[in-house]
Amino acid sequence: MTHRQSPRHYTCKAGCLASQPLAADSAELDAPRAMQSEIIRQALAGDVDCIRSIFLHLGSPDAKQRQSMQRAMHALSDPGLWRHMLRCLAVHCWEDRQDTEYRASAEVSQRIDQSIAEVFVQDEAQREAQDKECVLREALAESDRFVRYAAAYLLGLRKDTAVIPNLAQMVEQAPKSWQVRAVRALGVIGDERCAMPLIRALALGKGALHSEARQALQKLGRLAEPAWQQALSSPEPRIRWQAARGLGDPRHVRSLEILAEGLLDSDPEVRWETSDALARLGDRAIPVTLKVLCRGPVSKPLRQAVYHVLSSVACRASRQQLAPLLELLCGPARGELVSEMAGRLLQAWEGQS
């Protein structure tokens, strides 16, 4: 489509006044909804002045101005509009025209993208919801991967569980900014099937991705428990390490026996994180730790991990009860003796409870 060019100062067909550089005129931004709907229609017809007006509203620092354009979009609810907005979010293009000239700063660009996401999530009529979902589902088959990413992200924000596999794939393969969006959408969906992709996101590094994934998993709560348990048996040490941390979170104590299995892990980081997580749980971790020690064989790495757990117990009476075992763990005693002592202590401990 050929876009009609405009002079430095202009009035678009819908009557909206604007000028270069990109500074929003108050009269333009306060246009009534009917005029804004006409602005959208002219923008869909290719009028660059009206396209610019849409972005001025969506990127405005004034929430009321952003919302006024969003309301006009809801009122018009044209499938063509949703296709344009999807591409703006995905590849920063209005058809074949880059919209970067309307994104004067990172903050403006972020507001535009957030405004687009919000207008896709909120519906004012059933027909509007149907049109959006149709456009987004069709876009899942687009050749452009970023359009597919944007469609999956927006459907996720709409709590469509069908895109969980798409979002999981994004966590593994997409650029960092889209990984963060995928994690955010998984958190919104709130289904137990979202837990494993979120755990994998935790293992991909620190920063925004890690923070978003941890918040989403905390929100899932007990729904994430099966995934945490499954992750502790992952062939990837970084996943097992995150599982040990997740299962050992003192705020959400779950499946301690599964967590304690990490003491036997072949990866030293997993063993250390497991022992550290158990140590934070205090007396609650003693029985499951003793059970692991009872089973044997008692290797040097296992001795070190168990010693860290049991020597960290804060209760004086518990420390006195564990003292003989701690002495054996530090000395040259054979593994069989260590296991026997752990068994006797476990019986005594269970008899007290």
Side-chain angles (χ1 to χ4, degrees):
M1 178 181 291
T2 301
H3 298 276
R4 293 188 289 277
Q5 300 300 316
S6 59
R8 180 178 177 84
H9 297 275
Y10 55 81
T11 302
C12 75
K13 283 192 172 183
C16 57
L17 179 66
S19 63
Q20 299 290 349
L22 294 179
D25 183 279
S26 59
E28 175 187 355
L29 291 178
D30 289 334
R33 184 185 301 188
M35 181 176 289
Q36 289 174 338
S37 295
E38 183 59 24
I39 290 172
I40 296 171
R41 291 189 186 93
Q42 294 296 334
L44 292 174
D47 190 304
V48 294
D49 303 345
C50 293
I51 294 171
R52 175 180 178 275
S53 182
I54 290 175
F55 283 102
L56 284 174
H57 281 81
L58 296 181
S60 171
D62 186 343
K64 291 182 179 179
Q65 306 304 339
R66 299 195 299 273
Q67 291 163 4
S68 69
M69 182 56 70
Q70 289 173 324
R71 286 193 294 269
M73 289 179 171
H74 288 302
L76 186 62
S77 191
D78 185 314
L81 172 64
W82 305 131
R83 293 187 185 94
H84 278 78
M85 289 293 97
L86 176 61
R87 286 189 59 80
C88 289
L89 178 63
V91 292
H92 290 185
C93 279
W94 183 282
E95 289 202 346
D96 59 347
R97 181 188 179 92
Q98 288 286 324
D99 65 25
T100 49
E101 64 184 280
Y102 310 124
R103 298 173 182 264
S105 67
E107 291 77 12
V108 171
S109 185
Q110 185 176 12
R111 285 196 294 268
I112 290 171
D113 289 346
Q114 181 62 27
S115 296
I116 292 172
E118 288 171 356
V119 83
F120 263 102
V121 171
Q122 299 162 2
D123 304 317
E124 291 191 357
Q126 184 176 358
R127 178 60 183 271
E128 177 187 351
Q130 292 171 345
D131 287 345
K132 288 176 186 173
E133 290 172 1
C134 181
V135 167
L136 293 175
R137 291 197 178 104
E138 287 178 354
L140 291 174
E142 279 276 350
S143 58
D144 189 313
R145 63 173 178 149
F146 291 105
V147 175
R148 297 197 304 271
Y149 291 163
Y153 166 60
L154 293 171
L155 284 167
L157 294 183
R158 293 179 63 86
K159 299 187 177 182
D160 187 337
T161 58
V163 295
I164 292 175
N166 305 71
L167 296 170
Q169 186 179 50
M170 287 171 63
V171 168
E172 297 288 346
Q173 300 177 0
K176 181 62 68 68
S177 62
W178 284 104
Q179 286 178 318
V180 172
R181 283 171 169 164
V183 164
R184 193 171 297 149
L186 288 165
V188 169
I189 292 173
D191 187 279
E192 66 180 31
R193 291 169 292 175
C194 299
M196 185 54 74
L198 290 171
I199 292 172
R200 296 193 67 84
L202 275 181
L204 293 176
K206 299 296 183 181
L209 181 63
H210 184 93
S211 176
E212 288 277 356
R214 181 155 292 282
Q215 289 177 28
L217 284 163
Q218 289 174 354
K219 186 178 177 182
L220 276 177
R222 296 190 66 84
L223 286 176
E225 183 174 338
W228 283 121
Q229 295 175 356
Q230 181 184 348
L232 204 57
S233 301
S234 169
E236 300 178 54
R238 61 196 177 99
I239 302 296
R240 298 197 302 271
W241 186 78
Q242 292 296 342
R245 293 189 66 188
L247 285 165
D249 188 334
R251 294 168 297 177
H252 305 285
V253 180
R254 12 164 157 66
S255 302
L256 292 184
E257 290 186 358
I258 296 292
L259 171 60
E261 292 297 319
L263 296 171
L264 299 168
D265 200 277
S266 59
D267 187 276
E269 285 193 5
V270 176
R271 287 197 306 274
W272 172 255
E273 187 60 36
T274 301
S275 64
D276 204 42
L278 289 168
R280 292 196 300 270
L281 298 175
D283 280 17
R284 289 171 291 176
I286 292 175
V288 293
T289 303
L290 293 175
K291 285 180 182 179
V292 170
L293 205 55
C294 287
R295 296 208 313 261
V298 182
S299 63
K300 183 177 179 180
L302 178 59
R303 286 177 185 246
Q304 293 171 339
V306 170
Y307 185 86
H308 177 60
V309 177
L310 301 181
S311 63
S312 301
V313 172
C315 175
R316 178 179 296 181
S318 297
R319 284 205 312 273
Q320 290 176 344
Q321 195 171 357
L322 294 168
L325 177 59
L326 291 172
E327 187 175 345
L328 288 179
L329 288 170
C330 290
R334 298 194 313 274
E336 294 86 347
L337 293 177
V338 174
S339 293
E340 289 174 8
M341 175 63 74
R344 289 197 295 272
L345 286 172
L346 180 60
Q347 286 182 341
W349 196 272
E350 290 176 339
Q352 295 171 6
S353 57

